[in-house]
Amino acid sequence: MQPVADVSVGTMADVEAVMKKYDRESNVRIWEGLPRRLIDWLMAAFAVYCIVDAIFLTTLQEIRYSVFLGMIVFLGFLTFPVRKGVERPNHMPWYDVVILLAGSGAFFFYAVNAMTVIRLSAKIMADPLFMTVGIIGILALVELCRRCVGLPILCVAGVLILYALLSGIRPFQMVRTLFYTANGIFSTPVAVCVKYIAIFIIFGAFLERTGVADFFIRFANAAVGRFTGGPAKVAVVASALEGMASGSSVANTVGSGSITIPMMKRMGYKPEFAAAVEAAASTGGQIMPPIMGAAAFLMAEFTGIPYGRIALMAVLPAVLYFTGIFIAVHLEAKRTGMKGIPKAHLPKPSELLKEIYLLLPLIALIYLVGSNTYTMAYSATLSIIVAMVVGVIHKIIPHIGFSKDGEEEKEAGEKPSLSFRWILDAFAGGARSSITVVVACGIAGVISGCITVTGLASSLLGTIVALSQGKVLIALVLTMICCIVLGMGVPTTANYCIMAGVCAPILIALNVEAVAAHFFVFYFGIVADITPPVALAAYAGSAIAKSDPMKTGFTATRLAIAAFVVPYVFALNPAMLFVNVDSPLTVIQICISSLLGIFGIAAALNGFLARKLHPLVRVVLAAAGLCMVVPGTISDLIGFVTLGAIVAYEYGMRAKEDASAGKTGN
């Protein structure tokens, strides 16, 4: 039988096709030979510049930010073609060259004339040259966003720009606000990209190339592969671990899903369920510290809370999220009688221990950030250096494989390699991955600028407060709907930036703790990736599993029920985020009650506990679960007693049925 680690979906071409269909970031130009080498060196040089800028440069921020975006626009048009589809290698149309030069030139023009812009201030609107350059820069960024991010976020930005113009904002005033002030493109999201996000994306690229993702998958196989429903549990554990280093739902789904989804199907899982498990787990990677899809850095900037503390606050909600999926997977495996992976096909723990050094970059990052001795940028840079050393060690040590009978063997003909090309690839890959995030943050700045200049946030605050009649729970539900709708097709970072400026203040005004409000909008922006009708992660998983996309999306939503429950818990009782904690017992009580509540809700949605559940029992079980999720000692006791009674009854009836079946068999 084939080793688990070798299970894959078709060919690499199949995986790339799925990525290009569901992840716009993967739809890139084809460069070969010398042009490819030159562009790789340009990308790597930009990555190095990002590190130097974040750590050493102290020039005027208007100059730094505009130079940074000018480089992003230049590299972006080199990378992303005007439309999807196969293009000729080494081909770039003349109009793309014009847009590339004009667009990047507009940002470089601003950098050169930054002092003039500051000196003239509002008078800049009377200068035709500066206004023309501003319009070109905005349009170039919009076009690049269409290519690498997609239309949904541009539709939101377009509606808000139109609203601003109809509200009486003059066109040149709009251009000045969006291009020449800190309230538009160069607002907080882009500033955070310059300071932190770009470097951490580069760090993630190094982690990917050191082989840590493969290590996580093999570790998950060794840890839970042999248990009931092993392949699905492997997908959950592997995605949780990968989420520590990566923040893309679609990329995670396709990356680990190309291995885990076929494995689940071979063990008997339905295609829709296999794809949904991977999509739900991979989407959760964006809430797993320390990276958290780059939103942790933005949250630190918006709330003024240090990044290290933000990452710590995210631990318990993330654990509850993945535990909820794990429980749902376990119940489904019990219901359908799924078995684990044969022991002979699982990696040996002793072999994994030999590669434990692959975790050193992550350990270094967590330690450095937690020590508060170094800045985040400096901590990430030191962690990149550790990743380089680990990568070199991993490249020169012969890999260990597994033979068919489970015995260790060295791969035939493999020799230690001293090639350092992978370091260049890591720098280039990090720069390439940062383009989409930065562009999305730039457009999010446009949206925030429109909201600020029109006072729309205040209007929305009044509307939601009126609709909710001051009731926090109703306001939370309305905010949840806004986040999910906006998150359909909008990248997590951009979604969070918008919600942090619009909806989080509304919840704060209704006395929700500030950091809890920001976590709330962040969570519900993420679940849009698995919530139909625009569930990109679920659709990517369905393409691998050859399943129905909508069924996959709804199944993923059911599996990720914790993502819909946990945010209400910490919004109503922020002790889960280690805020306003009376004692450690308070946190323990919340965690236990929430876990039991999620268990009850998951069992009710699955329709199985020890046996198939009666519809009425499912309703009562769901109610008991919700009681335990809602903060409060009385509700916890009611839910605990009800849940305990149902569990005892169902397992008792199952024991009687088994006994009766045994007597009948005799």
Side-chain angles (χ1 to χ4, degrees):
M1 293 180 69
Q2 192 178 20
V4 171
D6 291 341
V7 179
S8 59
V9 52
T11 63
M12 283 301 297
D14 297 328
V15 174
E16 289 176 5
V18 174
M19 286 293 290
K20 286 187 176 182
K21 182 175 181 180
Y22 295 102
D23 185 26
R24 297 189 72 93
E25 190 176 347
S26 300
N27 188 65
V28 297
R29 296 187 197 277
I30 301 172
W31 297 106
E32 296 177 349
L34 180 61
R36 177 175 180 175
R37 290 194 293 273
L38 290 174
I39 290 173
D40 281 348
W41 278 105
L42 279 174
M43 292 285 184
F46 173 69
V48 173
Y49 169 80
C50 290
I51 295 173
V52 172
D53 184 353
I55 296 178
F56 300 111
L57 295 188
T58 57
T59 51
L60 202 65
Q61 70 176 27
E62 284 84 355
I63 296 175
R64 291 172 57 205
Y65 298 171
S66 53
V67 167
F68 178 83
L69 266 178
M71 293 178 178
I72 285 288
V73 170
F74 187 90
L75 295 174
F77 282 104
L78 280 177
T79 304
F80 298 100
V82 68
R83 61 180 179 276
K84 286 186 176 183
V86 179
E87 290 202 350
R88 299 197 310 272
N90 298 342
H91 173 69
M92 188 172 182
W94 65 268
Y95 49 81
D96 271 0
V97 176
V98 172
I99 299 174
L100 178 151
L101 295 175
S104 59
F107 288 94
F108 293 139
F109 174 88
Y110 179 19
V112 172
N113 295 278
M115 291 304 300
T116 302
V117 172
I118 294 171
R119 187 177 66 255
L120 292 177
S121 188
K123 296 178 182 177
I124 201 78
M125 292 185 293
D127 192 309
L129 176 60
F130 279 87
M131 289 296 100
T132 302
V133 168
I135 292 170
I136 292 173
I138 294 170
L139 292 178
L141 190 66
V142 166
E143 170 58 14
L144 183 54
C145 181
R146 184 194 67 79
R147 297 185 184 197
C148 66
V149 180
L151 286 174
I153 188 173
L154 291 180
C155 292
V156 175
V159 169
L160 286 173
I161 289 174
L162 183 61
Y163 174 80
L165 294 173
L166 293 176
S167 300
I169 306 299
R170 291 175 295 169
F172 284 167
Q173 182 184 353
M174 179 65 69
V175 172
R176 174 183 173 271
T177 299
L178 298 183
F179 195 78
Y180 291 111
T181 73
N183 293 320
I185 292 172
F186 300 101
S187 57
T188 298
V190 165
V192 176
C193 286
V194 176
K195 294 177 184 176
Y196 319 122
I197 292 178
I199 302 181
F200 276 84
I201 291 174
I202 296 165
F203 171 68
F206 271 93
L207 278 183
E208 179 185 345
R209 284 159 179 80
T210 58
V212 72
D214 177 63
F215 175 81
F216 283 149
I217 292 175
R218 290 186 292 116
F219 175 83
N221 270 288
V224 297
R226 65 186 183 279
F227 298 119
T228 301
K233 291 176 178 176
V234 167
V236 176
V237 174
S239 295
L241 294 172
E242 286 184 35
M244 296 174 68
S246 173
S248 170
S249 301
V250 175
N252 284 358
T253 300
V254 175
S256 56
S258 60
I259 297 173
T260 59
I261 291 174
M263 187 164 54
M264 283 186 269
K265 289 176 66 178
R266 286 202 324 164
M267 297 298 291
Y269 282 100
K270 292 181 179 179
E272 289 83 5
F273 188 83
V277 168
E278 183 57 53
S282 292
T283 298
Q286 294 188 81
I287 62 175
M288 177 61 75
I291 304 299
M292 295 172 62
F297 313 110
L298 290 163
M299 196 178 297
E301 196 75 14
F302 279 119
T303 61
I305 297 173
Y307 161 77
R309 193 175 167 202
I310 291 287
L312 180 63
M313 289 175 174
V315 171
L316 282 180
V319 170
L320 287 174
Y321 176 89
F322 283 104
T323 302
I325 300 176
F326 196 90
I327 290 170
V329 163
H330 177 75
L331 293 173
E332 177 68 14
K334 285 290 187 182
R335 185 179 70 83
T336 55
M338 294 296 168
K339 305 297 182 183
I341 301 170
K343 186 176 180 180
H345 296 159
L346 296 174
K348 293 182 178 180
S350 59
E351 289 304 323
L352 290 174
L353 282 174
K354 294 178 182 178
E355 296 185 8
I356 199 71
Y357 62 85
L358 290 171
L359 299 180
L360 284 175
L362 269 174
I363 295 171
L365 176 66
I366 294 170
Y367 170 76
L368 291 169
V369 169
S371 68
N372 294 322
T373 304
Y374 305 104
T375 64
M376 281 194 288
Y378 197 72
S379 299
T381 302
L382 291 177
S383 301
I384 289 172
I385 294 172
V386 175
M388 285 184 190
V389 175
V390 168
V392 170
I393 293 172
H394 191 58
K395 299 294 180 184
I396 65 176
I397 295 177
H399 296 149
I400 299 296
F402 294 90
S403 62
K404 292 183 179 180
D405 59 0
E407 296 295 327
E408 299 175 13
E409 65 175 9
K410 292 183 180 180
E411 294 180 4
E414 185 171 353
K415 297 180 180 179
S417 171
L418 289 172
S419 171
F420 292 95
R421 169 75 193 188
W422 72 275
I423 295 178
L424 173 66
D425 290 341
F427 275 122
R432 200 171 283 113
S433 297
S434 67
I435 293 172
T436 302
V437 176
V438 175
V439 170
C441 285
I443 297 300
V446 169
I447 293 171
S448 299
C450 292
I451 292 171
T452 300
V453 78
T454 58
L456 182 61
S458 300
S459 302
L460 286 173
L461 172 61
T463 302
I464 290 185
V465 169
L467 288 173
S468 64
Q469 297 180 343
K471 300 291 191 300
V472 175
L473 189 59
I474 298 175
L476 289 172
V477 172
L478 293 173
T479 303
M480 175 190 73
I481 294 171
C482 288
C483 293
I484 293 176
V485 170
L486 183 65
M488 293 178 179
V490 176
T492 302
T493 46
N495 182 306
Y496 169 68
C497 291
I498 299 165
M499 290 295 97
V502 178
C503 291
I506 296 173
L507 298 180
I508 294 170
L510 292 171
N511 296 320
V512 174
E513 191 71 30
V515 70
H518 281 268
F519 265 102
F520 187 89
V521 299
F522 173 51
Y523 262 61
F524 282 113
I526 285 172
V527 297
D529 279 346
I530 53 172
T531 306
V534 187
L536 294 181
Y539 294 167
S542 71
I544 296 173
K546 306 293 190 294
S547 63
D548 181 271
M550 290 301 289
K551 285 184 179 179
T552 301
F554 284 115
T555 304
T557 302
R558 174 170 62 84
L559 290 173
I561 188 63
F564 294 86
V565 173
V566 171
Y568 285 92
V569 178
F570 59 63
L572 297 172
N573 192 341
M576 182 182 286
L577 302 176
F578 304 111
V579 176
N580 300 332
V581 178
D582 297 327
S583 70
L585 290 176
T586 304
V587 178
I588 294 171
Q589 178 187 342
I590 291 173
C591 291
I592 293 174
S593 64
S594 298
L595 276 172
L596 291 174
I598 289 170
F599 170 77
I601 296 170
L605 290 174
N606 188 272
F608 181 86
L609 194 52
R611 58 178 190 155
K612 186 177 180 180
L613 295 174
H614 187 278
L616 181 59
V617 175
R618 293 176 67 177
V619 172
V620 176
L621 192 59
L626 289 172
C627 280
M628 299 203 71
V629 166
V630 175
T633 303
I634 295 176
S635 60
D636 284 352
L637 287 173
I638 294 172
F640 181 77
V641 171
T642 306
L643 180 62
I646 292 174
V647 170
Y649 174 78
E650 291 298 325
Y651 274 94
M653 293 301 297
R654 172 65 184 270
K656 286 184 179 180
E657 291 173 359
D658 289 345
S660 299
K663 289 179 181 179
T664 303
N666 292 332

